[in-house]
Amino acid sequence: MAETKTVGVVGNGQMGSGIAQLAALHGLHVWLLDTDPDALSKARKSVTSNIHRLVSKGHLSQAAFNDAVGRLYCTSKLEELREADFVIEAIVESEDVKKKLFLEVDKFVKSSAILASNTSSISITRLASATSRPSQVIGMHFMNPPPIMKLVEIVRGADTSDETFYATRALAERFGKTVICSQDFSGFIVNRILMPMINEAIHTLYTGVATKEDIDTGMKLGTNHPMGPLELADFIGLDVCLSIMKVLHAGLGESKYAPCPLLVQYVDAGRLGRKRGIGVYDYRKTPEQVKPSARL
Ligand SMILES: NC(=O)c1ccc[n+]([C@@H]2O[C@H](COP(=O)([O-])OP(=O)(O)OC[C@H]3O[C@@H](n4cnc5c(N)ncnc54)[C@H](O)[C@@H]3O)[C@@H](O)[C@H]2O)c1
């Protein structure tokens, strides 16, 4: 398979903009695509300013900055992805919405292109079944934030070819990531283990066992986690956590994966975490509350 030169990143929220940044910094031409024009311009701004920060810190030359930013293109049209060798989808965590997108992308990109999903939990096999190229569909699960976190979890669907796997692994390694490989079962490796822990932390809060601060401090100092589970849930996005719990519950069929009612209520109330200024914690008030850890 030819080397990847052009990447399309579909969905430019928290994850997509970080993936686009990585790709631009590693010499690729990058098409950013989002249906929301505000998200697209915010993503372009954040990618540009994050790369510029590397120049300010002396980690990158001005010429390399100009090159990376010059390889970023924004669009809202799938037709523009026709030159892409590799498309990474990072839209909302909904199987129906992702399937619809895969069906459409499949029509516009060249026949050799690989279609990867950054899904946290949804079946790659089912996303692949919406396309005419299931052997070229794969899960490429970056962690948040993609430029910082070292891991990429690669998920092979039932029909993913070895060629697709090797090309995806080569791309992740080009980004400097360590790769782990999972079979295609709900939640894969990382979220199969992480999300029930976050859900249990929310249950611990819901049932009045402890305050949110004590739950997070307990897990940070008691188990050496860098962030408490509630703080992490806000960072990931409570809507994303809820979607993943629903996928685990439906896919693995055990009541232990049922989302905590308090998680459901937070999402119903629009308390989605840091991105909305309020989740388990309220980030809108005093400067100390911007960082829960500052109170501990
Ligand atoms: N947030 C995390 O910590 C995290 C970590 C790993 C993986 N993921 C996965 O990454 C994906 C994206 O998560 P996020 O946190 O970046 O979400 P987000 O809400 O920040 O961004 C999603 C973006 O997708 C855009 N979008 C929605 N439908 C679209 C469509 N049909 N076509 C084009 N753009 C569309 C939205 O406008 C938005 O900008 C999800 O599948 C999620 O499970 C998230």
Side-chain angles (χ1 to χ4, degrees), residues 13-15 34-35 39 90-91 93 98 118 120 141-142 144 236:
Q14 299 195 78
M15 296 303 292
D34 203 293
T35 43
I91 68 168
E93 185 75 349
K98 284 192 194 289
N118 184 50
S120 304
H141 181 209
F142 290 83
N144 187 11
I236 292 169

Side-chain angles (χ1 to χ4, degrees), residues 37-89:
D38 286 347
L40 200 54
S41 73
K42 229 172 115 188
R44 193 188 172 100
K45 266 192 212 142
S46 91
V47 172
T48 305
S49 74
N50 288 345
I51 300 180
H52 195 262
R53 200 167 304 135
L54 298 174
V55 178
S56 314
K57 287 183 177 168
H59 299 320
L60 195 73
S61 68
Q62 185 64 41
F65 166 81
N66 294 343
D67 279 353
V69 170
R71 285 191 301 267
L72 285 174
Y73 321 98
C74 291
T75 186
S76 57
K77 294 194 189 112
L78 287 174
E79 296 92 296
E80 302 273 23
L81 300 185
R82 59 187 168 269
E83 295 302 321
D85 306 300
F86 205 105
V87 174
I88 304 174
E89 167 276 312

Side-chain angles (χ1 to χ4, degrees), residues 2 8 34 36 58 132 159 161 167 169 180 188 195 198 209 224 241-243 245 267 283 295:
D34 203 293
D36 175 353
S132 63
D159 294 315
S161 67
R169 188 176 63 183
I180 57 172
F188 319 129
M195 283 300 153
I198 286 179
V209 173
N224 218 13
C241 295
L242 177 59
S243 301
M245 285 312 297
V267 174
Y283 302 90
R295 282 188 305 233

